[in-house]
Amino acid sequence: MRITRFAAVVLALSLPVQSAFAADGKILVGVIGSLTGAEATFGQSTRNGVELAASELNAKGGVKGKTFELKVYDDQGKPEEAATAMTRLVAQDKVSLVIGEVASSRSLAMAPIAEANKVPMITPSSTNPRVTKEGGKVRQYVFRVCFIDPFQGTVMAKFAKNDLKLSKMAILRDVGNDYSMGLAQYFTEKFKALGGSIIADESYKAGDQDFKAQLTALKGKKPEAIYVPGYYTDVALIARQARELNMNQPMLGGDGWDSSKLYEIGGSAMDGHYFSNHYSTDDPSPAIQNFVKKYKAKYGEMPDALAALAYDALFIAADAMGRGGDAGGDALRRALAATKGYKGVTGVITIDGDHNAVKPAVVLKIAGRAPHYAATVRP
Amino acid sequence: MSEFLQHVVNGLSVGTIYALIALGYTMVYGVLRLINFAHGDVYMVGAFAAFYLAHALGVAENPTLGKTVVVFAGSMGICAALGYVIERLAYRPLRERPRLTSLITAIGISFLLEYGFQLPHWNGLPIEFPPGPTPRFFPELFQRVVWFEVGEVAISNYDVISLAVAIGLMLGLQFIVYRTKFGTAMRAVSFDPSIAGLMGIPVDRVISGTFALGSALAAAAALLVAISRPRIDPMMGMMPGLKAFVAAVFGGIGNVPGAMIGGLILGLSEEFVAGYAFSSYRDAIAFAILIIVLLVKPEGLFGRRTAEKV
């Protein structure tokens, strides 16, 4: 009995992926995000963004007469849970497309599964290059609609050197996080190439409560600013403790800061800091203002960049489904790879040879517990 | 120099937390010869109990000294009750079994608390319980002000109050253990439970009391952490729990002043390693200390050397 069940599972897994335009007229899309856990707002914003996009697309009749249906799983912010959810979406729910994850370490756990099962996966906001390209080989079924860390790190280095006129910086990185390590590395390379110097490089581990040892060490070396490419809950505590030590240097960071919780936990200690991001809600362009209005009407809060990217991800998928022959598998993969000049909320999106989106980044400055537009840096 | 002083201040503030948690380990070990691995999670429950109390009292909108005291006493009381319940339900039925059984049960209780608190909210409760895995923001109990500055070292009311509360609690404990009837009974049970029982000491009640006392101290430690590092989540007890265990072993497990000194030394050494050498080795230092102590002086700084009975 057990053997037959096992055989059935094996058989089911080895079946070729069916045409995704299923008979019931639905396109099943899987969404994986950290709906709970230390980065809960990442997952919640992503889900909201995809839901908003799906309801708009469905209101317009969907793609080729088929409407979207979402299957959302929570991974609690754990890579192993993300991998389990991915396997479940692919093997059990038989989705035609997966949207997720935000954090690079979790997307890295999901990407090989997408690749092995030939199910296209779009990560809305994982910026580590290895997500779409491992060991010099592009993953055929994995795409992203955001820029990558070599660019994001470079943007902040340029901004620090050219706009803020800084020359002595320190780094405080999260050692257990692919995203943070990547950003710190690219930032260091660019900042040094521009003639600046990194006078200290300290590290912490996500979930730590106390950062004062590292901060005191940094304080002694008197950097002009500190680059902290971490996630928002840690960054908020770091900022608070820096203020408690009377350190008034600005801190710089990446899109991992983008969460309303950053201001709740960090409070006024966040004022005066900068982070790079995918878009700014201050941008007057109608595409953005329209999106902000719709999102606020539905969820009652300002959309962060993760929501906007998730929204774009589903629209790009719908666009590719319309152009390609099928809503999943090889046809969708080819159509996604051929995406060119799609006008999304977060900018004009063109998928390059490495399956990354090429677009400008914005730098936001925090004041009065909210991010404000400071600069745009082009690729 | 001011950097060194700042490191000392930071190290002491972390060390007192370890010391307060380590006291719970060491007292329970003293009376039961049991490492209560769920102790770090009792600390976590203390933080959440305070969180719910603070919200019920509306501390975030209007913090006052009175409310702070209520939150402190309330969460210590809740944790004392929790410690009592854990001992009564999980450890007492196993007391006559091999010691390994209780140890594994302790790990089980630890997992139960850590993962039970990560479940989604139950419906129909007035509070959002269990809290789920998303970190919560602990409201400010009172305004942080810098009281005095020595050179570049800023010392705030938080630092002073935390240290004062921690030292006060430790002195209070010292008084209970050495100057009260209960403390005498506790020491007697620790010396030999069966003889103590024969002398008419209510062993069960003393053991329950010890659990309650240790758990209340863990709740106090959690509050001292939460007021200055206001992020709490169900896994927050794991690392401090392990480190406090190291502190207790370092000071000589079963020895009350040893746990205090052990905690302070651990906090300071972590601070200096992270501040002056390699910040990524911060956690490693605690466990390196554990290994060295076990190799060189297994009874700890102040522990009695006891021959293993065969």
Side-chain angles (χ1 to χ4, degrees), chain A residues 36-38 202-203 207-210 212-214 216-217 219 233-234 240-241 244-246 264, chain B residues 3 6-7 10 14 133-135 137 140 144 149 152 229-231 271 274-275 279-280 282-283:
Chain A
T36 56
E202 299 281 337
S203 58
D208 281 355
Q209 292 277 7
D210 200 277
K212 283 194 178 162
Q214 293 93 319
T216 306
K219 185 184 178 188
T233 44
D234 296 315
R240 279 182 85 102
Q241 294 179 16
E244 285 166 15
L245 291 171
N246 271 347
E264 185 189 332
Chain B
E3 189 180 339
Q6 185 70 58
H7 279 307
N10 301 345
V14 178
T134 306
F137 173 66
E140 276 186 332
R144 187 184 187 99
E149 280 179 74
E152 274 187 32
R229 305 155 184 98
R231 176 187 60 181
E271 175 75 23
S279 39
S280 15
R282 186 178 183 135
D283 291 340

mmCIF file of all heavy atoms in Angstrom, chain A residues 36-38 202-203 207-210 212-214 216-217 219 233-234 240-241 244-246 264, chain B residues 3 6-7 10 14 133-135 137 140 144 149 152 229-231 271 274-275 279-280 282-283:
data_model
loop_
_atom_site.group_PDB
_atom_site.id
_atom_site.type_symbol
_atom_site.label_atom_id
_atom_site.label_comp_id
_atom_site.label_asym_id
_atom_site.label_seq_id
_atom_site.Cartn_x
_atom_site.Cartn_y
_atom_site.Cartn_z
ATOM 1 N N THR A 36 4.720 36.064 7.943
ATOM 2 C CA THR A 36 4.990 36.220 9.367
ATOM 3 C C THR A 36 6.507 36.195 9.532
ATOM 4 O O THR A 36 7.224 35.918 8.581
ATOM 5 C CB THR A 36 4.372 35.071 10.184
ATOM 6 O OG1 THR A 36 4.882 33.848 9.670
ATOM 7 C CG2 THR A 36 2.864 35.066 10.096
ATOM 8 N N GLY A 37 6.987 36.442 10.746
ATOM 9 C CA GLY A 37 8.420 36.370 10.995
ATOM 10 C C GLY A 37 9.077 37.733 10.993
ATOM 11 O O GLY A 37 8.409 38.759 10.921
ATOM 12 N N ALA A 38 10.406 37.715 11.062
ATOM 13 C CA ALA A 38 11.146 38.955 11.241
ATOM 14 C C ALA A 38 10.995 39.898 10.053
ATOM 15 O O ALA A 38 11.177 41.099 10.189
ATOM 16 C CB ALA A 38 12.620 38.658 11.483
ATOM 17 N N GLU A 202 32.499 45.933 10.349
ATOM 18 C CA GLU A 202 32.047 45.087 11.457
ATOM 19 C C GLU A 202 30.860 44.263 10.990
ATOM 20 O O GLU A 202 30.282 44.529 9.941
ATOM 21 C CB GLU A 202 31.633 45.963 12.644
ATOM 22 C CG GLU A 202 32.734 46.823 13.223
ATOM 23 C CD GLU A 202 33.690 46.051 14.135
ATOM 24 O OE1 GLU A 202 33.293 45.005 14.664
ATOM 25 O OE2 GLU A 202 34.838 46.496 14.298
ATOM 26 N N SER A 203 30.509 43.263 11.806
ATOM 27 C CA SER A 203 29.379 42.442 11.399
ATOM 28 C C SER A 203 28.487 42.098 12.576
ATOM 29 O O SER A 203 28.882 42.213 13.730
ATOM 30 C CB SER A 203 29.877 41.168 10.732
ATOM 31 O OG SER A 203 30.706 40.473 11.620
ATOM 32 N N GLY A 207 18.780 39.025 14.173
ATOM 33 C CA GLY A 207 18.139 38.535 15.388
ATOM 34 C C GLY A 207 18.887 38.921 16.651
ATOM 35 O O GLY A 207 18.366 38.761 17.740
ATOM 36 N N ASP A 208 20.107 39.431 16.533
ATOM 37 C CA ASP A 208 20.825 39.917 17.719
ATOM 38 C C ASP A 208 20.010 41.025 18.381
ATOM 39 O O ASP A 208 19.295 41.767 17.709
ATOM 40 C CB ASP A 208 22.193 40.510 17.330
ATOM 41 C CG ASP A 208 23.236 39.429 17.089
ATOM 42 O OD1 ASP A 208 22.914 38.242 17.323
ATOM 43 O OD2 ASP A 208 24.352 39.765 16.661
ATOM 44 N N GLN A 209 20.159 41.147 19.690
ATOM 45 C CA GLN A 209 19.446 42.218 20.397
ATOM 46 C C GLN A 209 20.378 43.390 20.659
ATOM 47 O O GLN A 209 19.947 44.516 20.798
ATOM 48 C CB GLN A 209 18.934 41.713 21.755
ATOM 49 C CG GLN A 209 17.839 40.690 21.649
ATOM 50 C CD GLN A 209 16.481 41.326 21.450
ATOM 51 O OE1 GLN A 209 16.380 42.524 21.263
ATOM 52 N NE2 GLN A 209 15.443 40.520 21.456
ATOM 53 N N ASP A 210 21.647 43.097 20.774
ATOM 54 C CA ASP A 210 22.561 44.116 21.238
ATOM 55 C C ASP A 210 23.653 44.361 20.204
ATOM 56 O O ASP A 210 24.350 43.438 19.808
ATOM 57 C CB ASP A 210 23.198 43.649 22.543
ATOM 58 C CG ASP A 210 23.746 44.822 23.303
ATOM 59 O OD1 ASP A 210 24.878 45.250 22.984
ATOM 60 O OD2 ASP A 210 23.054 45.329 24.180
ATOM 61 N N LYS A 212 25.718 47.197 20.558
ATOM 62 C CA LYS A 212 26.515 48.306 21.067
ATOM 63 C C LYS A 212 28.007 48.044 21.008
ATOM 64 O O LYS A 212 28.790 48.978 20.878
ATOM 65 C CB LYS A 212 26.081 48.629 22.498
ATOM 66 C CG LYS A 212 24.786 49.412 22.514
ATOM 67 C CD LYS A 212 24.534 50.030 23.859
ATOM 68 C CE LYS A 212 23.261 50.849 23.805
ATOM 69 N NZ LYS A 212 22.753 51.124 25.148
ATOM 70 N N ALA A 213 28.422 46.769 21.104
ATOM 71 C CA ALA A 213 29.852 46.480 21.033
ATOM 72 C C ALA A 213 30.401 46.932 19.687
ATOM 73 O O ALA A 213 31.399 47.663 19.609
ATOM 74 C CB ALA A 213 30.094 44.987 21.241
ATOM 75 N N GLN A 214 29.711 46.527 18.611
ATOM 76 C CA GLN A 214 30.174 46.901 17.279
ATOM 77 C C GLN A 214 30.099 48.414 17.091
ATOM 78 O O GLN A 214 30.998 49.030 16.528
ATOM 79 C CB GLN A 214 29.311 46.229 16.205
ATOM 80 C CG GLN A 214 29.451 44.727 16.129
ATOM 81 C CD GLN A 214 28.407 44.008 16.976
ATOM 82 O OE1 GLN A 214 28.116 44.430 18.090
ATOM 83 N NE2 GLN A 214 27.854 42.933 16.460
ATOM 84 N N THR A 216 30.166 50.804 19.329
ATOM 85 C CA THR A 216 31.191 51.521 20.089
ATOM 86 C C THR A 216 32.527 51.460 19.362
ATOM 87 O O THR A 216 33.256 52.450 19.294
ATOM 88 C CB THR A 216 31.331 50.920 21.493
ATOM 89 O OG1 THR A 216 30.049 50.909 22.109
ATOM 90 C CG2 THR A 216 32.287 51.718 22.351
ATOM 91 N N ALA A 217 32.833 50.274 18.801
ATOM 92 C CA ALA A 217 34.083 50.144 18.047
ATOM 93 C C ALA A 217 34.080 51.085 16.843
ATOM 94 O O ALA A 217 35.083 51.750 16.552
ATOM 95 C CB ALA A 217 34.271 48.697 17.597
ATOM 96 N N LYS A 219 32.333 53.838 16.541
ATOM 97 C CA LYS A 219 32.353 55.212 17.032
ATOM 98 C C LYS A 219 33.782 55.675 17.258
ATOM 99 O O LYS A 219 34.156 56.796 16.907
ATOM 100 C CB LYS A 219 31.560 55.286 18.332
ATOM 101 C CG LYS A 219 31.409 56.681 18.885
ATOM 102 C CD LYS A 219 30.682 56.659 20.225
ATOM 103 C CE LYS A 219 30.583 58.044 20.807
ATOM 104 N NZ LYS A 219 30.050 58.016 22.167
ATOM 105 N N THR A 233 14.162 45.066 10.764
ATOM 106 C CA THR A 233 14.053 44.967 12.226
ATOM 107 C C THR A 233 15.410 45.158 12.896
ATOM 108 O O THR A 233 15.517 45.802 13.935
ATOM 109 C CB THR A 233 13.469 43.616 12.701
ATOM 110 O OG1 THR A 233 14.073 42.572 11.967
ATOM 111 C CG2 THR A 233 11.978 43.564 12.537
ATOM 112 N N ASP A 234 16.459 44.581 12.274
ATOM 113 C CA ASP A 234 17.794 44.754 12.853
ATOM 114 C C ASP A 234 18.253 46.198 12.702
ATOM 115 O O ASP A 234 18.798 46.787 13.638
ATOM 116 C CB ASP A 234 18.794 43.832 12.157
ATOM 117 C CG ASP A 234 18.461 42.366 12.387
ATOM 118 O OD1 ASP A 234 18.161 42.005 13.530
ATOM 119 O OD2 ASP A 234 18.492 41.593 11.421
ATOM 120 N N ARG A 240 18.661 52.859 16.706
ATOM 121 C CA ARG A 240 18.346 53.306 18.077
ATOM 122 C C ARG A 240 19.581 53.278 18.955
ATOM 123 O O ARG A 240 19.871 54.229 19.685
ATOM 124 C CB ARG A 240 17.316 52.364 18.705
ATOM 125 C CG ARG A 240 15.912 52.611 18.315
ATOM 126 C CD ARG A 240 15.040 51.633 19.060
ATOM 127 N NE ARG A 240 14.716 52.147 20.364
ATOM 128 C CZ ARG A 240 13.540 52.703 20.657
ATOM 129 N NH1 ARG A 240 12.620 52.801 19.738
ATOM 130 N NH2 ARG A 240 13.306 53.161 21.858
ATOM 131 N N GLN A 241 20.302 52.154 18.900
ATOM 132 C CA GLN A 241 21.444 52.016 19.797
ATOM 133 C C GLN A 241 22.571 52.968 19.413
ATOM 134 O O GLN A 241 23.320 53.430 20.275
ATOM 135 C CB GLN A 241 21.905 50.556 19.839
ATOM 136 C CG GLN A 241 20.828 49.694 20.489
ATOM 137 C CD GLN A 241 21.163 48.224 20.554
ATOM 138 O OE1 GLN A 241 22.306 47.816 20.386
ATOM 139 N NE2 GLN A 241 20.158 47.402 20.806
ATOM 140 N N GLU A 244 21.719 56.118 21.013
ATOM 141 C CA GLU A 244 21.955 56.032 22.454
ATOM 142 C C GLU A 244 23.436 56.222 22.777
ATOM 143 O O GLU A 244 23.792 56.622 23.882
ATOM 144 C CB GLU A 244 21.473 54.679 22.990
ATOM 145 C CG GLU A 244 19.959 54.613 23.086
ATOM 146 C CD GLU A 244 19.436 53.200 23.277
ATOM 147 O OE1 GLU A 244 20.228 52.308 23.622
ATOM 148 O OE2 GLU A 244 18.222 53.001 23.069
ATOM 149 N N LEU A 245 24.292 55.880 21.824
ATOM 150 C CA LEU A 245 25.725 56.072 22.034
ATOM 151 C C LEU A 245 26.171 57.450 21.554
ATOM 152 O O LEU A 245 27.366 57.689 21.389
ATOM 153 C CB LEU A 245 26.511 54.991 21.292
ATOM 154 C CG LEU A 245 26.368 53.577 21.849
ATOM 155 C CD1 LEU A 245 27.008 52.568 20.911
ATOM 156 C CD2 LEU A 245 27.017 53.487 23.215
ATOM 157 N N ASN A 246 25.206 58.331 21.269
ATOM 158 C CA ASN A 246 25.523 59.674 20.784
ATOM 159 C C ASN A 246 26.229 59.665 19.443
ATOM 160 O O ASN A 246 27.068 60.518 19.173
ATOM 161 C CB ASN A 246 26.409 60.421 21.783
ATOM 162 C CG ASN A 246 25.574 61.169 22.780
ATOM 163 O OD1 ASN A 246 24.371 61.316 22.572
ATOM 164 N ND2 ASN A 246 26.201 61.621 23.859
ATOM 165 N N GLU A 264 8.395 52.315 13.014
ATOM 166 C CA GLU A 264 7.735 52.000 14.281
ATOM 167 C C GLU A 264 8.780 51.616 15.336
ATOM 168 O O GLU A 264 8.751 52.098 16.466
ATOM 169 C CB GLU A 264 6.738 50.854 14.071
ATOM 170 C CG GLU A 264 5.934 50.550 15.325
ATOM 171 C CD GLU A 264 5.110 49.280 15.197
ATOM 172 O OE1 GLU A 264 4.715 48.918 14.081
ATOM 173 O OE2 GLU A 264 4.895 48.638 16.246
ATOM 174 N N GLU B 3 36.347 55.029 24.853
ATOM 175 C CA GLU B 3 35.831 53.854 24.153
ATOM 176 C C GLU B 3 35.838 52.652 25.092
ATOM 177 O O GLU B 3 34.872 51.890 25.162
ATOM 178 C CB GLU B 3 36.692 53.572 22.916
ATOM 179 C CG GLU B 3 36.095 52.508 22.027
ATOM 180 C CD GLU B 3 36.954 52.233 20.804
ATOM 181 O OE1 GLU B 3 37.768 53.088 20.419
ATOM 182 O OE2 GLU B 3 36.815 51.135 20.255
ATOM 183 N N GLN B 6 33.050 52.969 27.528
ATOM 184 C CA GLN B 6 31.770 52.664 26.892
ATOM 185 C C GLN B 6 31.593 51.147 26.775
ATOM 186 O O GLN B 6 30.508 50.620 27.008
ATOM 187 C CB GLN B 6 31.720 53.314 25.500
ATOM 188 C CG GLN B 6 30.388 53.161 24.800
ATOM 189 C CD GLN B 6 29.296 53.986 25.451
ATOM 190 O OE1 GLN B 6 29.392 55.199 25.582
ATOM 191 N NE2 GLN B 6 28.250 53.311 25.913
ATOM 192 N N HIS B 7 32.674 50.454 26.425
ATOM 193 C CA HIS B 7 32.586 48.996 26.341
ATOM 194 C C HIS B 7 32.239 48.402 27.707
ATOM 195 O O HIS B 7 31.471 47.444 27.793
ATOM 196 C CB HIS B 7 33.906 48.404 25.838
ATOM 197 C CG HIS B 7 34.065 48.473 24.346
ATOM 198 N ND1 HIS B 7 33.107 47.989 23.483
ATOM 199 C CD2 HIS B 7 35.059 48.953 23.570
ATOM 200 C CE1 HIS B 7 33.508 48.180 22.232
ATOM 201 N NE2 HIS B 7 34.693 48.768 22.260
ATOM 202 N N ASN B 10 28.524 48.965 28.301
ATOM 203 C CA ASN B 10 27.738 48.041 27.477
ATOM 204 C C ASN B 10 27.825 46.621 28.014
ATOM 205 O O ASN B 10 26.830 45.906 28.101
ATOM 206 C CB ASN B 10 28.259 48.012 26.041
ATOM 207 C CG ASN B 10 28.214 49.362 25.364
ATOM 208 O OD1 ASN B 10 27.554 50.271 25.847
ATOM 209 N ND2 ASN B 10 28.915 49.502 24.267
ATOM 210 N N VAL B 14 24.762 44.103 29.381
ATOM 211 C CA VAL B 14 24.437 42.769 28.859
ATOM 212 C C VAL B 14 24.690 41.713 29.931
ATOM 213 O O VAL B 14 23.914 40.770 30.101
ATOM 214 C CB VAL B 14 25.282 42.472 27.598
ATOM 215 C CG1 VAL B 14 24.992 41.075 27.083
ATOM 216 C CG2 VAL B 14 24.996 43.482 26.520
ATOM 217 N N PRO B 133 5.038 34.457 14.816
ATOM 218 C CA PRO B 133 6.490 34.644 14.705
ATOM 219 C C PRO B 133 6.950 36.058 14.382
ATOM 220 O O PRO B 133 8.137 36.337 14.390
ATOM 221 C CB PRO B 133 6.882 33.692 13.575
ATOM 222 C CG PRO B 133 5.649 33.491 12.801
ATOM 223 C CD PRO B 133 4.486 33.698 13.697
ATOM 224 N N THR B 134 6.012 36.970 14.093
ATOM 225 C CA THR B 134 6.432 38.322 13.731
ATOM 226 C C THR B 134 6.910 39.086 14.963
ATOM 227 O O THR B 134 6.221 39.104 15.971
ATOM 228 C CB THR B 134 5.253 39.070 13.107
ATOM 229 O OG1 THR B 134 4.768 38.285 12.030
ATOM 230 C CG2 THR B 134 5.669 40.416 12.602
ATOM 231 N N PRO B 135 8.082 39.705 14.897
ATOM 232 C CA PRO B 135 8.565 40.448 16.062
ATOM 233 C C PRO B 135 7.614 41.584 16.427
ATOM 234 O O PRO B 135 7.002 42.194 15.560
ATOM 235 C CB PRO B 135 9.904 41.019 15.606
ATOM 236 C CG PRO B 135 10.290 40.267 14.416
ATOM 237 C CD PRO B 135 9.032 39.774 13.784
ATOM 238 N N PHE B 137 6.896 45.194 18.679
ATOM 239 C CA PHE B 137 7.577 46.369 19.192
ATOM 240 C C PHE B 137 7.149 46.591 20.629
ATOM 241 O O PHE B 137 5.967 46.731 20.921
ATOM 242 C CB PHE B 137 7.232 47.574 18.328
ATOM 243 C CG PHE B 137 7.754 48.858 18.873
ATOM 244 C CD1 PHE B 137 9.121 49.073 18.929
ATOM 245 C CD2 PHE B 137 6.905 49.843 19.322
ATOM 246 C CE1 PHE B 137 9.619 50.258 19.440
ATOM 247 C CE2 PHE B 137 7.393 51.027 19.827
ATOM 248 C CZ PHE B 137 8.750 51.224 19.880
ATOM 249 N N GLU B 140 7.614 51.945 24.898
ATOM 250 C CA GLU B 140 8.541 52.578 25.836
ATOM 251 C C GLU B 140 7.861 52.792 27.176
ATOM 252 O O GLU B 140 6.812 53.420 27.248
ATOM 253 C CB GLU B 140 9.020 53.915 25.271
ATOM 254 C CG GLU B 140 10.174 53.734 24.317
ATOM 255 C CD GLU B 140 10.753 55.061 23.859
ATOM 256 O OE1 GLU B 140 10.016 56.053 23.824
ATOM 257 O OE2 GLU B 140 11.936 55.084 23.533
ATOM 258 N N ARG B 144 13.659 57.982 27.605
ATOM 259 C CA ARG B 144 15.073 57.800 27.812
ATOM 260 C C ARG B 144 15.756 59.165 27.886
ATOM 261 O O ARG B 144 15.583 59.992 27.001
ATOM 262 C CB ARG B 144 15.651 57.014 26.639
ATOM 263 C CG ARG B 144 17.068 56.626 26.850
ATOM 264 C CD ARG B 144 17.630 55.924 25.628
ATOM 265 N NE ARG B 144 18.949 55.453 25.987
ATOM 266 C CZ ARG B 144 19.215 54.224 26.345
ATOM 267 N NH1 ARG B 144 18.286 53.317 26.351
ATOM 268 N NH2 ARG B 144 20.442 53.887 26.692
ATOM 269 N N GLU B 149 27.280 62.528 31.510
ATOM 270 C CA GLU B 149 28.245 62.132 30.506
ATOM 271 C C GLU B 149 29.638 62.198 31.092
ATOM 272 O O GLU B 149 30.024 63.185 31.691
ATOM 273 C CB GLU B 149 28.149 63.064 29.290
ATOM 274 C CG GLU B 149 27.002 62.709 28.380
ATOM 275 C CD GLU B 149 26.889 63.644 27.192
ATOM 276 O OE1 GLU B 149 27.721 63.524 26.286
ATOM 277 O OE2 GLU B 149 25.982 64.493 27.200
ATOM 278 N N GLU B 152 33.136 61.042 26.556
ATOM 279 C CA GLU B 152 32.197 60.800 25.473
ATOM 280 C C GLU B 152 31.208 59.696 25.820
ATOM 281 O O GLU B 152 30.393 59.301 25.004
ATOM 282 C CB GLU B 152 32.960 60.412 24.203
ATOM 283 C CG GLU B 152 33.401 61.621 23.405
ATOM 284 C CD GLU B 152 33.998 61.211 22.069
ATOM 285 O OE1 GLU B 152 33.571 60.200 21.502
ATOM 286 O OE2 GLU B 152 34.912 61.902 21.623
ATOM 287 N N ARG B 229 15.932 47.398 24.186
ATOM 288 C CA ARG B 229 16.054 46.801 22.850
ATOM 289 C C ARG B 229 14.668 46.306 22.471
ATOM 290 O O ARG B 229 14.351 45.145 22.628
ATOM 291 C CB ARG B 229 17.050 45.649 22.879
ATOM 292 C CG ARG B 229 18.398 46.069 23.431
ATOM 293 C CD ARG B 229 19.141 44.866 24.010
ATOM 294 N NE ARG B 229 20.385 45.267 24.635
ATOM 295 C CZ ARG B 229 20.510 45.467 25.951
ATOM 296 N NH1 ARG B 229 19.493 45.311 26.749
ATOM 297 N NH2 ARG B 229 21.680 45.811 26.438
ATOM 298 N N PRO B 230 13.802 47.231 22.022
ATOM 299 C CA PRO B 230 12.360 46.977 22.038
ATOM 300 C C PRO B 230 11.852 46.067 20.916
ATOM 301 O O PRO B 230 10.884 46.365 20.262
ATOM 302 C CB PRO B 230 11.769 48.376 21.886
ATOM 303 C CG PRO B 230 12.791 49.112 21.115
ATOM 304 C CD PRO B 230 14.117 48.544 21.479
ATOM 305 N N ARG B 231 12.495 44.953 20.662
ATOM 306 C CA ARG B 231 11.962 44.017 19.675
ATOM 307 C C ARG B 231 11.841 42.668 20.345
ATOM 308 O O ARG B 231 12.841 42.115 20.798
ATOM 309 C CB ARG B 231 12.906 43.919 18.481
ATOM 310 C CG ARG B 231 12.457 42.879 17.473
ATOM 311 C CD ARG B 231 13.480 42.671 16.399
ATOM 312 N NE ARG B 231 14.737 42.213 16.963
ATOM 313 C CZ ARG B 231 15.828 41.976 16.242
ATOM 314 N NH1 ARG B 231 15.824 42.191 14.957
ATOM 315 N NH2 ARG B 231 16.930 41.537 16.801
ATOM 316 N N GLU B 271 31.589 41.570 24.971
ATOM 317 C CA GLU B 271 31.671 42.955 24.543
ATOM 318 C C GLU B 271 33.080 43.289 24.037
ATOM 319 O O GLU B 271 33.251 43.917 23.002
ATOM 320 C CB GLU B 271 31.295 43.856 25.723
ATOM 321 C CG GLU B 271 31.441 45.327 25.472
ATOM 322 C CD GLU B 271 30.338 45.881 24.598
ATOM 323 O OE1 GLU B 271 29.255 45.267 24.531
ATOM 324 O OE2 GLU B 271 30.568 46.925 23.973
ATOM 325 N N ALA B 274 33.848 41.438 20.726
ATOM 326 C CA ALA B 274 33.134 42.020 19.592
ATOM 327 C C ALA B 274 33.633 43.430 19.294
ATOM 328 O O ALA B 274 33.692 43.855 18.151
ATOM 329 C CB ALA B 274 31.638 42.034 19.870
ATOM 330 N N GLY B 275 33.989 44.171 20.335
ATOM 331 C CA GLY B 275 34.377 45.562 20.142
ATOM 332 C C GLY B 275 35.806 45.734 19.668
ATOM 333 O O GLY B 275 36.090 46.579 18.837
ATOM 334 N N SER B 279 33.892 41.102 15.356
ATOM 335 C CA SER B 279 32.494 41.129 15.756
ATOM 336 C C SER B 279 31.772 39.846 15.385
ATOM 337 O O SER B 279 30.791 39.483 16.006
ATOM 338 C CB SER B 279 31.794 42.349 15.171
ATOM 339 O OG SER B 279 32.226 42.615 13.871
ATOM 340 N N SER B 280 32.264 39.119 14.360
ATOM 341 C CA SER B 280 31.526 37.900 14.002
ATOM 342 C C SER B 280 31.766 36.775 15.008
ATOM 343 O O SER B 280 31.097 35.767 14.958
ATOM 344 C CB SER B 280 31.874 37.439 12.593
ATOM 345 O OG SER B 280 33.015 38.062 12.120
ATOM 346 N N ARG B 282 31.355 37.094 18.211
ATOM 347 C CA ARG B 282 30.646 37.441 19.423
ATOM 348 C C ARG B 282 29.983 36.232 20.103
ATOM 349 O O ARG B 282 30.140 36.019 21.291
ATOM 350 C CB ARG B 282 29.585 38.469 19.069
ATOM 351 C CG ARG B 282 28.921 38.970 20.281
ATOM 352 C CD ARG B 282 27.893 40.018 19.967
ATOM 353 N NE ARG B 282 27.401 40.439 21.249
ATOM 354 C CZ ARG B 282 27.216 41.681 21.612
ATOM 355 N NH1 ARG B 282 27.458 42.642 20.777
ATOM 356 N NH2 ARG B 282 26.801 41.967 22.807
ATOM 357 N N ASP B 283 29.211 35.471 19.333
ATOM 358 C CA ASP B 283 28.524 34.330 19.933
ATOM 359 C C ASP B 283 29.489 33.198 20.240
ATOM 360 O O ASP B 283 29.300 32.445 21.192
ATOM 361 C CB ASP B 283 27.429 33.815 18.993
ATOM 362 C CG ASP B 283 26.298 34.814 18.890
ATOM 363 O OD1 ASP B 283 26.194 35.664 19.791
ATOM 364 O OD2 ASP B 283 25.534 34.751 17.921
#
